[in-house]
Amino acid sequence: MSLETLPVLDFSQLNAGPEAAALFRDDLRNAMHEVGFLYLAGHGIPQELTDAILDISRRFFDLPEEQKLAIENVHSPQFRGYTRVGGELTDGGIDWREQIDVGVERAAIPPGPDVADYWRLEGPNLWPEALPEMRQIVGEWTDRLSAISLSLLRALAVSLGAPEDTFDAAFAERAFPLLKIVRYPGESNPEPKQGVGSHRDGGVITLLLVEPGKGGLQVEYQGTWIDAPQVPGTFVVNIGEMLELATNGYLKATLHRVISPLRGTDRISLPFFYNPALDATMPQLAVSPEFQSRARGLSVDPTNSPILETYGDNALRYRLRAHPNVVAVHHADLLGG
């Protein structure tokens, strides 16, 4: 079966009566089983908020270099803050992008002999002094996308014959969402260059906003790369390895990559990763037999690393692999471990 573009679903159908909601859940399950990616329309995010977060993102990247480097991630044991162009690795290659990582604001947990290594990821964010309004805009964005993400997880659970609240415990107390605000400076000329190398997301569910009129995202489907350009009024939604794990591979964490824009242009992208508590073990869904029989078992990431059951172990593994500069400064004791 060939696929020209990603499926499009209307989130507002979840609240349009029982029949519409049931159809939405079926379409959601089928899309995440077959493709692992979709466009989500009807999400209800105010246009003013979307405009505000794209504007504050542009203004951040327009700051003088020294102001961005003042919050560089080497200053954060939690891998938060600014990453300069070329400062992150994916699939063994250099990602041609700059970004700021923002997570949940919590107190840092000191390492210790009885403290799991992944707790090192909890802690404060680094914020640019020149943009004090950034914290409030990002906070509202995170709250709204967290609510959408949880609704999608509940819909997926019901669609697979599991209780609606199956995932609630893993997210209720200490969910660990992460927002990346990314700028891809143009490097393709015209031969394609890596913006981000091929990978699967290590968490649960991802909502991606791309600024209007921009492309570059590609999704792997049956051995072919499908272009997934920005569609007005939508998020790109995909699932991560933890949800694949919870369904024994019935739901698909799909390889994807980003091609750098052409030289002389750039692209702003905001991937939001909705993840459970660091110490959460994803529940194995009590999937209905009709779906269980079509589960594919677990895939492996491009480095042939197995999906780990505890979310924090997955998250820390990815960070250690992607940001060796931060590891050298703050986590040298984990090298070779």
Side-chain angles (χ1 to χ4, degrees), residues 29-110:
R29 178 195 64 232
N30 293 339
M32 291 313 190
H33 171 68
E34 293 292 339
V35 187
F37 270 78
L38 56 83
Y39 290 113
L40 188 70
H43 47 70
I45 300 291
Q47 187 61 46
E48 311 84 72
L49 179 57
T50 300
D51 293 343
I53 199 159
L54 286 171
D55 175 68
I56 201 73
S57 301
R58 277 274 170 210
R59 287 194 285 141
F60 172 75
F61 292 120
D62 286 343
L63 290 175
E65 191 76 2
E66 64 270 16
Q67 293 189 32
K68 291 187 286 187
L69 292 177
I71 60 165
E72 191 174 15
N73 62 0
V74 292
H75 303 302
S76 169
Q78 291 78 35
F79 301 84
R80 310 285 176 85
Y82 176 69
T83 302
R84 64 180 80 191
V85 174
E88 185 170 15
L89 306 176
T90 303
D91 196 21
I94 296 172
D95 294 332
W96 201 253
R97 63 180 179 177
E98 58 177 331
Q99 66 189 38
I100 179 171
D101 283 48
V102 185
V104 184
E105 290 275 1
R106 294 187 180 129
I109 298 176

Side-chain angles (χ1 to χ4, degrees), residues 8-329:
V8 181
L9 272 66
D10 183 350
F11 185 68
S12 67
Q13 294 300 103
L14 260 182
N15 297 308
E19 288 186 16
L23 183 60
F24 175 87
R25 287 191 291 263
D26 287 348
D27 288 344
L28 177 65
R29 178 195 64 232
N30 293 339
M32 291 313 190
H33 171 68
E34 293 292 339
V35 187
F37 270 78
L38 56 83
Y39 290 113
L40 188 70
H43 47 70
I45 300 291
Q47 187 61 46
E48 311 84 72
L49 179 57
T50 300
D51 293 343
I53 199 159
L54 286 171
D55 175 68
I56 201 73
S57 301
R58 277 274 170 210
R59 287 194 285 141
F60 172 75
F61 292 120
D62 286 343
L63 290 175
E65 191 76 2
E66 64 270 16
Q67 293 189 32
K68 291 187 286 187
L69 292 177
I71 60 165
E72 191 174 15
N73 62 0
V74 292
H75 303 302
S76 169
Q78 291 78 35
F79 301 84
R80 310 285 176 85
Y82 176 69
T83 302
R84 64 180 80 191
V85 174
E88 185 170 15
L89 306 176
T90 303
D91 196 21
I94 296 172
D95 294 332
W96 201 253
R97 63 180 179 177
E98 58 177 331
Q99 66 189 38
I100 179 171
D101 283 48
V102 185
V104 184
E105 290 275 1
R106 294 187 180 129
I109 298 176
D114 298 318
V115 179
D117 290 336
Y118 53 69
W119 287 118
R120 301 182 188 203
L121 298 176
E122 289 230 320
N125 292 304
L126 303 180
W127 299 100
E129 287 188 14
L131 299 172
E133 66 272 38
M134 190 176 197
R135 186 190 296 244
Q136 185 271 327
I137 294 169
V138 168
E140 184 177 353
W141 187 258
T142 296
D143 289 345
R144 285 183 175 268
L145 267 61
S146 293
I148 292 171
S149 300
L150 184 57
S151 293
L152 290 173
L153 284 179
R154 288 170 172 166
L156 276 171
V158 173
S159 78
L160 290 165
E164 185 179 48
D165 63 355
T166 297
F167 296 109
D168 285 19
F171 292 88
E173 296 297 326
R174 295 182 75 89
F176 197 74
L178 177 73
L179 175 68
K180 286 179 178 284
I181 299 174
V182 183
R183 174 181 171 267
Y184 294 93
E187 186 64 12
S188 299
N189 187 38
E191 68 281 359
K193 298 287 187 180
Q194 174 170 314
V196 176
S198 61
H199 65 286
R200 295 179 176 91
D201 291 347
V204 176
I205 196 164
T206 303
L207 274 63
L208 170 69
L209 176 73
V210 176
E211 67 177 339
K214 299 298 176 77
L217 174 65
Q218 295 185 327
V219 175
E220 192 274 334
Y221 181 73
Q222 296 185 355
T224 300
W225 289 104
I226 299 166
D227 289 321
Q230 188 267 351
V231 172
T234 71
F235 289 102
V236 175
V237 180
N238 65 283
I239 65 168
E241 292 176 332
M242 298 301 288
L243 205 47
E244 181 174 303
L245 180 70
T247 60
N248 192 32
Y250 181 83
L251 300 180
K252 182 177 174 62
T254 300
L255 279 173
H256 52 287
R257 65 187 184 187
V258 177
I259 303 302
S260 180
L262 290 172
R263 286 192 181 174
T265 68
D266 68 356
R267 173 183 187 261
I268 299 293
S269 175
L270 289 89
F272 171 80
F273 305 95
Y274 189 58
N275 301 314
L278 289 169
D279 61 349
T281 300
M282 283 297 284
Q284 196 68 28
L285 255 67
V287 177
S288 298
E290 60 180 303
F291 306 122
Q292 213 161 38
S293 65
R294 293 159 57 200
R296 291 165 286 223
L298 300 184
S299 56
V300 293
D301 75 2
T303 63
N304 292 318
S305 302
I307 302 171
L308 304 174
E309 290 190 2
T310 303
Y311 171 66
D313 289 329
N314 263 344
L316 181 62
R317 177 180 66 181
Y318 172 79
R319 292 302 207 179
L320 296 177
R321 200 163 60 197
H323 297 284
N325 58 330
V326 178
V327 176
V329 175

